[in-house]
Structure formats: structure tokens, C-alpha cells
Amino acid sequence: MRFGKTTMVLAAGLLWAFGLTGDAFSGMGGFNIDLAVRQVTVTPVRAYVGDKVRVEVLIENRGEGSATTNAEIYANGKLAGRQLFTWGWSPGERFYRLTFEWDTRGTPPGEYKLLGAAYLKRGHLAIRQPARSTTAGVLVPSGGTFPGGATTGGSATETDPRFKQK
């Protein structure tokens, strides 16, 4: 089988996109890209439909290079928020805390799980690194009651168990 330039460029792009260094293909200018969502905090975890829920996402840059890319939150698998953020400008800056406001208008009542994700998109490839755990909460109809007689409010934080902040 014969490999042409297109095959080599595609292979180099895949290696670069999945975080392998450019040393494997000298002159390609690759970086070790390693973004990871380390923590998701949700406030309040008990809310009424129509309330705004604050979601904080902590992202760690464990690689090299810099770029502007998307961070997103999902509620029960549905996109609930997106932000552009720039990472890697300062070698000492490794952590990025982003705050989202999830507008729950039109969201059906029930339990929800929130997931934070950061990804780098290069051409048609997207590398997503979701949080290892999600944060759960409950939405009830306006004027409804919460399970166990609880009141609106509360906060929950889920942290990737492999994460150790210095």
C-alpha cells in the first residue's frame, strides 16, 4: 500500500490533536495539548423551573501551547451553556475557573445532572475532556415542593478524584 502526502498530513493532525508531541513528525509544530475539567460546582442544587442556576467549572491546562477554545455545560445531555476562553498565555497560569448561568426556563421538572466539558477543535476534529463526575440537582415546578421537605438552595461540588490542586 502506498501512502501519499495527504495520509501523512492527516496522521500528523491526529497525533497533534490527541495530545502527542510534534517530535514524532518533526517540523509539524505540534504541542502536547491536555485540557481537563477538574471540578464542577452547582448552586442552587434545589431550584424552581425558571430559576437561574450558577455552574462553576474548573479547567486545568496540563499541556503546552495556547489557544482560544470552548468550554460547555450540559444538563441531562443537552447543551445548557457555552463560553470561549483563552488558555496557555502564561506558563504559570494552569487553572481557569469559568462561571455559567443556566436559565432553567422551559426545562422540565425532575432530577438533572450537569456536566462540564472543555475541548479543542481543529478543523473537523474535536477533542472533548468531560468531567469524570457530574453534579446532580432537582428542579420542581414553580410553587411546588422539594423532596423530603427541603427548601430551595444548597450547593454541590464534584471533583475529579485524580485531581490534587497545589
Side-chain angles (χ1 to χ4, degrees):
M1 174 183 256
R2 202 175 131 188
F3 296 101
K5 286 183 182 178
T6 304
T7 305
M8 290 303 289
V9 169
L10 177 59
L14 287 171
L15 287 172
W16 181 81
F18 285 100
L20 300 176
T21 63
D23 297 339
F25 288 90
S26 60
M28 293 287 185
F31 294 101
N32 177 19
I33 297 168
D34 188 1
L35 293 178
V37 175
R38 294 303 190 188
Q39 193 174 69
V40 177
T41 301
V42 176
T43 307
V45 290
R46 293 176 305 279
Y48 293 107
V49 172
D51 288 351
K52 294 191 187 303
V53 174
R54 180 185 169 114
V55 181
E56 287 187 5
V57 178
L58 179 66
I59 299 170
E60 181 182 12
N61 173 19
R62 296 172 44 105
E64 303 165 358
S66 65
T68 298
T69 191
N70 284 315
E72 298 174 340
I73 58 167
Y74 293 86
N76 287 348
K78 182 179 175 188
L79 183 65
R82 174 182 289 145
Q83 283 186 34
L84 282 174
F85 77 104
T86 301
W87 53 270
W89 284 103
S90 170
E93 190 174 21
R94 297 309 235 174
F95 296 97
Y96 304 88
R97 187 172 301 276
L98 304 176
T99 302
F100 296 84
E101 197 170 78
W102 175 36
D103 185 351
T104 63
R105 284 182 293 183
T107 303
E111 290 187 18
Y112 61 91
K113 291 184 179 176
L114 285 159
L115 172 90
Y119 65 93
L120 182 65
K121 189 170 183 178
R122 291 285 183 222
H124 297 292
L125 297 173
I127 301 93
R128 295 173 189 264
Q129 177 60 45
R132 295 290 176 204
S133 57
T134 56
T135 302
V138 65
L139 286 176
V140 299
S142 184
T145 59
F146 292 96
T151 60
T152 187
S155 180
T157 299
E158 290 287 338
T159 302
D160 182 340
R162 299 166 298 162
F163 174 58
K164 305 238 185 311
Q165 188 170 5
K166 297 174 184 171

